[in-house]
Amino acid sequence: MAPKSEHSMSLRAIRQLRRIRSFYTAGVLLWAAAAAWTGWTHPGSRQMWVSLLLLAVFTGLLATTWLWLYRLQATPGHRPAHHARPRRAVTPRHANA
C-alpha cells in the first residue's frame, strides 16, 4: 500500500493537472482563433506564423497534460482510502475453563 503522503500527492497532482488542462484548452482555442484571424487578414505574415507556433506549443502542452492525467488515473491503487476496520464474520467464542 502506498504511503499516505504519496496518495495525497497523487490526488493533488490530478487536481492540478485538471486545472492546467482547462488553461491549455483555452490557450489552444485562443491561438487557433488568432491564427485563423491573422491567416485570413494577413496571410503569410509573421504574426500568422507566430500564432501558429503558439498554437502548436499549447497543443503540445495540452496533449502532454492529457497523457499524464490519463496515466495517473489509469494506475491502480489511486482509489480513496477506506480507513475503517474491515468487517469480519462473527465467530462464537469459547469460554476458558
Side-chain angles (χ1 to χ4, degrees), residues 11 20 28 65-67 79-80 82 87 93:
L11 290 177
I20 202 70
V28 165
T65 304
W66 178 82
L67 183 65
R79 296 185 187 118
H82 185 69
R87 295 183 185 182
R93 299 186 184 224

Side-chain angles (χ1 to χ4, degrees), residues 79-97:
R79 296 185 187 118
H82 185 69
H83 296 290
R85 188 173 138 203
R87 295 183 185 182
R88 296 186 181 159
V90 177
T91 58
R93 299 186 184 224
H94 300 285
N96 292 335

Side-chain angles (χ1 to χ4, degrees), residues 65-84:
T65 304
W66 178 82
L67 183 65
W68 284 351
L69 193 57
Y70 178 76
R71 285 184 181 173
L72 276 175
Q73 289 178 342
T75 56
H78 287 287
R79 296 185 187 118
H82 185 69
H83 296 290

